[in-house]
Amino acid sequence: MVDSCGPAPSRPPVRLRPAPPLDPPFADDQLADLWPRPSAAQLALDLVDAGRPGRGRPVGHPTRRPTVPRPPRPAAPPATATPEATRAAHRFVGTCLEVVNGYRPPGQLRPLTDPLRTAAVLDQLALATSRLGPVRRRTTRPMVRLRRLRVCQPQPAVIEAAAVLAAPNGRSWAMAVRLERRGPGWICVVLQIL
């Protein structure tokens, strides 16, 4: 139904007004009374902006800029990983996620870890599993997912990886892994859940 009362009332025109000044409401001598005066053992601050032309230090005082020491140049670029190292890190982290999500038993990680450090690796994965609560084995969706994996290879026989894991409750974890080449394959030496 159309309103037959007539045309809509027009709005008044927009007027531009100047903005109020941003100066403080008190004089400089009142400001000086608020600031404590430097004592004999204290240096007074030079609050004059020497970078502005026409302002700054009085004539005859040279303005020196402090010299900043340059940091030493890095000896070598950051270590990048070979495709084989990246695949090995993805495989190991994926296997760890399958253990945490309940798709694999923890014993399947024993051949992939250093025999002297297997207990420490399995303890870290048990810590990650305890953060989730009870594991539902019948679910088809993984509970913890890999969000990001960064891999570097500082030496030809060493891989270091950092993974960001996302839990279903919205929390994120970090996993640090160090793999070393032993024979034909890669063995986990250190696993840390943060």
Side-chain angles (χ1 to χ4, degrees):
M1 181 177 239
V2 177
D3 188 18
S4 61
C5 292
S10 64
R11 293 184 179 174
V14 176
R15 294 184 184 163
L16 296 177
R17 296 182 185 203
L22 297 176
D23 294 333
F26 45 85
D28 287 339
D29 50 335
Q30 289 176 346
L31 180 63
D33 293 337
L34 295 175
W35 288 90
R37 300 202 183 271
S39 64
Q42 183 181 10
L43 294 175
L45 294 176
D46 184 12
L47 299 176
V48 176
D49 186 10
R52 287 184 169 174
R55 290 187 176 177
R57 301 183 188 277
V59 179
H61 287 269
T63 57
R64 282 193 236 153
R65 296 186 184 239
T67 58
V68 178
R70 292 184 181 176
R73 291 186 179 181
T80 57
T82 62
E84 176 196 3
T86 304
R87 282 192 302 270
H90 270 281
R91 271 195 309 268
F92 184 77
V93 171
T95 304
C96 290
L97 285 178
E98 290 175 0
V99 169
V100 169
N101 286 325
Y103 299 137
R104 285 181 186 258
Q108 288 191 1
L109 281 177
R110 289 179 199 260
L112 302 175
T113 59
D114 183 22
L116 298 175
R117 297 186 178 118
T118 301
V121 169
L122 293 178
D123 286 344
Q124 287 292 314
L125 288 178
L127 172 70
T129 306
S130 69
R131 289 182 182 178
L132 291 175
V135 177
R136 295 179 292 166
R137 296 187 188 272
R138 299 211 178 232
T139 61
T140 57
R141 270 180 74 191
M143 295 175 63
V144 179
R145 295 180 182 202
L146 178 65
R147 193 181 275 179
R148 185 179 309 129
L149 181 68
R150 303 281 179 163
V151 181
C152 75
Q153 196 169 8
Q155 298 174 1
V158 175
I159 300 172
E160 292 180 349
V164 177
L165 309 175
N169 57 3
R171 293 187 179 181
S172 296
W173 309 335
M175 177 191 290
V177 178
R178 182 178 172 104
L179 303 172
E180 292 181 0
R181 182 178 283 285
R182 303 266 174 92
W186 295 90
I187 300 295
C188 176
V189 177
V190 177
L191 184 137
Q192 183 84 31
I193 300 284
L194 305 171

